[in-house]
Amino acid sequence: MALNKVVICGVNTAKLPLLTNEEKNELFIRVEQGDKQAREQLIEGNLRLVLSVIQRFAASSENADDLFQVGCIGLMKAIDNFDRSLNVKFSTYAVPMIIGECRRYLRDNNAIRVSRSLRDIAYKAIYAKERILREEDREPTIDEVARAIEMDKEMVVMALDAIATPVSLFDPVYQEGGDTLYIMDQVSDKKNKEDNWIEDISLKEAMKKLSDREYNIIRLRFFEGKTQTEVAREIAISQAQVSRLEKSALKSMKNYLDI
């Protein structure tokens, strides 16, 4: 998505106006009185906010013009529903609405097409889940959500899975210095608990060359199937350190086995 261009949807982003808090308050008062011109000024004066929000979706393949328009819809909804009596900055209120509008658009336009009926079920389930969470201050079960929207539990699960955005195992989830943790680092290894494959390629001998801490990490990760987070908690070091030591240990073992 080319967000570095100056003109988006015919708007010169380099010349977007910037409203002061006083100007915003005055315009909101006029909007509440039905002044449509004031509403247009508020929209134009907050387009920089839309631009800053859609920067978060730079990795998306969506056209910048399309996403900017969607963000503007979120901005207009925020303006129309903003309550000045709540004593909250407009940007604090508007940003989640703009982000939500963009995410809905990206989800609905995902390369994996989902039927409208299935999306409708998923959205009803999400709204029901949020309502129960808000009213009872707890996470509802799938059964409760299904009853709330009068649908089969299986259908609710299928609908929610259908609109979930796929992720790559190589997507980064955390970075500390030069150490990047990926989604695959958080996945427990349940298949490598047996000792058979170790006997076959002399891994036991390779592991003897490791330091005590490296040996422990490899044992916990690949023999007990624990995630890096669980290992870090057990041996009382950071997850980034676990990742670094694990990579170093695997490299040492590989070098030994290549000899």
Side-chain angles (χ1 to χ4, degrees):
M1 181 169 62
L3 289 172
N4 56 346
K5 61 180 183 177
V6 176
V7 178
I8 298 181
C9 295
V11 177
N12 187 338
T13 58
K15 295 183 178 180
L16 288 175
L18 190 62
L19 298 174
T20 64
N21 288 331
E22 291 75 16
E23 289 172 328
K24 287 179 185 178
N25 287 332
E26 183 182 337
L27 287 171
F28 270 117
I29 292 173
R30 289 168 53 191
V31 168
E32 290 168 2
Q33 296 170 348
D35 190 331
K36 294 183 178 180
Q37 181 61 36
R39 182 176 181 272
E40 292 301 316
Q41 287 180 255
L42 265 175
I43 294 171
E44 186 178 358
N46 283 281
L47 290 180
R48 286 181 182 271
L49 190 60
V50 175
L51 193 62
S52 67
V53 168
I54 67 173
Q55 298 282 349
R56 303 185 185 196
F57 301 94
S60 166
S61 59
E62 287 297 324
N63 181 277
D65 289 19
D66 293 342
L67 204 54
F68 185 74
Q69 289 184 39
V70 172
C72 288
I73 293 173
L75 172 63
M76 287 185 279
K77 288 182 178 180
I79 290 173
D80 293 339
N81 292 283
F82 183 59
D83 185 352
R84 290 187 302 114
S85 66
L86 295 177
N87 249 348
V88 175
K89 287 180 63 176
F90 175 67
S91 59
T92 303
Y93 176 78
V95 166
M97 294 197 71
I98 298 171
I99 291 175
E101 204 68 33
C102 291
R103 283 179 175 165
R104 276 190 291 274
Y105 171 78
L106 291 173
R107 184 171 58 208
D108 289 349
N109 287 275
N110 194 285
I112 303 174
R113 297 297 174 183
V114 180
S115 70
R116 169 55 64 181
S117 60
L118 207 56
R119 281 205 302 268
D120 287 343
I121 293 171
Y123 295 152
K124 287 178 182 177
I126 291 170
Y127 295 146
K129 181 178 179 181
E130 291 175 349
R131 177 178 57 76
I132 295 171
L133 180 63
R134 186 171 59 252
E135 292 175 355
E136 302 187 19
D137 195 27
R138 65 177 178 83
E139 192 78 17
T141 65
I142 287 294
D143 284 328
E144 290 173 324
V145 173
R147 284 197 299 270
I149 64 174
E150 299 180 343
M151 295 293 299
D152 292 337
K153 179 177 69 174
E154 293 76 12
M155 184 60 72
V156 171
V157 172
M158 183 187 301
L160 291 174
D161 284 345
I163 66 168
T165 304
V167 296
S168 166
L169 287 174
F170 296 96
D171 283 348
V173 295
Y174 177 76
Q175 187 165 11
E176 180 181 296
D179 298 305
T180 302
L181 302 180
Y182 300 93
I183 288 177
M184 67 179 297
D185 293 329
Q186 314 303 303
V187 180
S188 296
D189 188 348
K190 302 297 183 183
K191 295 182 180 179
N192 292 327
K193 292 185 178 180
E194 299 85 359
D195 292 335
N196 299 337
W197 63 283
I198 306 172
E199 299 287 349
D200 295 338
I201 57 175
S202 302
L203 280 180
K204 280 185 175 178
E205 291 302 316
M207 289 180 66
K208 290 179 181 178
K209 305 298 180 182
L210 303 177
S211 67
D212 290 343
R213 177 172 280 183
E214 288 175 335
Y215 183 96
N216 203 20
I217 288 173
I218 295 299
R219 178 181 60 81
L220 292 171
R221 282 282 285 142
F222 298 102
F223 294 90
E224 297 188 15
K226 295 188 176 182
T227 67
Q228 288 188 347
T229 302
E230 292 169 332
V231 174
R233 190 181 303 117
E234 183 163 331
I235 64 178
I237 62 174
S238 72
Q239 190 174 356
Q241 287 176 295
V242 171
S243 176
R244 183 165 56 247
L245 288 168
E246 178 186 316
K247 289 171 185 175
S248 174
L250 291 175
K251 183 178 180 181
S252 297
M253 292 168 65
K254 180 178 182 299
N255 289 339
Y256 175 82
L257 292 170
D258 284 343
I259 294 175

